[in-house]
Amino acid sequence: MKKIVQSIVLGAALLFITGCGNNGSAAATDQEEVTVKLGVIGADTDVWDDVKDRLKDEGINLEYVQFSDYNQPNAALADGSIDLNSFQHQFFLDNYNKEFGTDLVSIGNTVNAPLGIYSDKVTDVNDLAEGAKVAIPNDVTNGGRALLLLQSAGLIKVDEAAGQTPTVADITENRLNLEISELDAAQTARALSDVDVSVINSGMAVDAGFVPTEDAIFLEPVDETARPYVNIIAARKEDEDNEVYQKVVAAYQTEDTKKVIEETSKGSSVPAWETFGAK
């Protein structure tokens, strides 16, 4: 009888130990897969889709959180609602930090996406008539960038003292008396039917069905002056060296990603990590 009791106790003990072992393995497996919430603007995620597929092999589940305007992804990143975002250039981020007192940082360069002037009424900026209507983004950094682009196109001149962030008030010469309207960046493509030309960010242009290198009547040059406008992956300062987030950056900055960028943008976007460095 003692032997029978001992056998029952021993069997129960083994089952308990085995059960604990299985639970420990399951917990370890759960811990290996990490979800990273990435804030993006618009519906164009083709490049990130490719990165997302490759990150699965490293146990990282990339989850998109989509926003409709340019301030939302940084607010969400700052309050911890998302882990990373990828939609803005360095200059925009610097200005956001200054304005809102946040401490968000770039952890990797993605692409340089030239700003363009678009029109469904003229095919050349030189064809614009007196008093033509022009739409530009209304935020400080993209608005200033748009005015500098109009200057590069020979349409206006702005005060040099305004630097990278001129406003409409800084225009010193407007020979055609262009009527410039400032709109939310998301509205600049939709406003084309109401204006003669519109200055549209590359991502917004692609979402609207344009191919920047083919459809823009004037495109921003990609040279050293474009460095402040290199698009980035942003994180909170305390997560700057986060190992998982660094893996996301590494997965993006690859030849595979470069091919997808070239295919989907038809050459309109340039892999910035090759031209301007990894960070």
Side-chain angles (χ1 to χ4, degrees):
M1 179 61 72
K2 286 183 180 180
K3 288 182 179 180
I4 293 173
V5 172
Q6 287 173 348
S7 297
I8 293 172
V9 172
L10 180 60
L14 286 172
L15 284 172
F16 177 76
I17 293 170
T18 303
C20 289
N22 287 338
N23 288 336
S25 298
T29 300
D30 290 343
Q31 289 173 0
E32 286 173 7
E33 183 172 289
V34 180
T35 294
V36 175
K37 293 184 178 181
L38 176 73
V40 297
I41 290 282
D44 180 20
T45 59
D46 288 345
V47 176
W48 275 110
D49 287 345
D50 183 72
V51 177
K52 181 177 181 176
D53 287 341
R54 286 184 275 115
L55 282 171
K56 289 178 182 177
D57 295 335
E58 299 192 52
I60 299 173
N61 173 38
L62 197 64
E63 179 183 319
Y64 302 135
V65 180
Q66 295 182 320
F67 298 95
S68 59
D69 75 57
Y70 281 176
N71 283 319
Q72 291 175 327
N74 279 335
L77 181 59
D79 70 21
S81 299
I82 60 175
D83 303 305
L84 302 171
N85 68 41
S86 180
F87 75 99
Q88 65 193 320
H89 47 66
Q90 183 66 54
F91 194 47
F92 185 94
L93 177 63
D94 292 343
N95 187 74
Y96 185 91
N97 281 332
K98 182 178 179 181
E99 183 175 356
F100 293 96
T102 49
D103 196 13
L104 308 178
V105 298
S106 167
I107 62 171
N109 290 333
T110 56
V111 298
N112 178 263
L115 195 64
I117 301 175
Y118 297 80
S119 177
D120 57 11
K121 298 176 179 65
V122 297
T123 58
D124 192 301
V125 291
N126 294 318
D127 295 335
L128 284 173
E130 177 90 13
K133 295 181 179 180
V134 181
I136 67 171
N138 66 359
D139 61 274
V140 175
T141 56
N142 285 304
R145 184 183 181 188
L147 291 174
L148 292 174
L149 182 62
L150 293 174
Q151 178 173 258
S152 296
L155 296 173
I156 62 171
K157 288 185 180 179
V158 297
D159 189 348
E160 289 185 7
Q164 296 289 119
T165 55
T167 66
V168 173
D170 295 311
I171 297 175
T172 58
E173 183 179 316
N174 184 0
R175 58 184 177 79
L176 290 177
N177 294 312
L178 301 175
E179 184 182 326
I180 300 175
S181 300
E182 298 171 279
L183 307 175
D184 185 278
Q187 301 298 320
T188 53
R190 299 172 192 170
L192 267 178
S193 59
D194 300 319
V195 297
D196 296 289
V197 295
S198 187
V199 181
I200 308 174
N201 291 78
S202 181
M204 299 296 183
V206 170
D207 278 352
F210 295 115
V211 177
T213 50
E214 297 175 5
D215 298 321
I217 63 173
F218 191 87
L219 202 60
E220 188 177 54
V222 179
D223 53 28
E224 192 58 30
T225 62
R227 181 177 287 277
Y229 306 120
V230 168
N231 286 359
I232 57 174
I233 299 170
R236 291 177 292 278
K237 177 66 177 176
E238 61 267 28
D239 294 326
E240 188 171 10
D241 299 316
N242 181 291
E243 185 178 346
V244 172
Y245 300 165
Q246 288 299 325
K247 286 182 179 180
V248 173
V249 174
Y252 191 102
Q253 296 177 345
T254 61
E255 281 296 314
D256 288 334
T257 306
K258 178 181 175 180
K259 290 176 183 176
V260 179
I261 290 170
E262 291 172 347
E263 290 170 3
T264 57
S265 74
K266 293 182 169 55
S268 299
S269 294
V270 179
W273 66 91
E274 290 193 340
T275 307
F276 300 100
K279 181 180 174 183

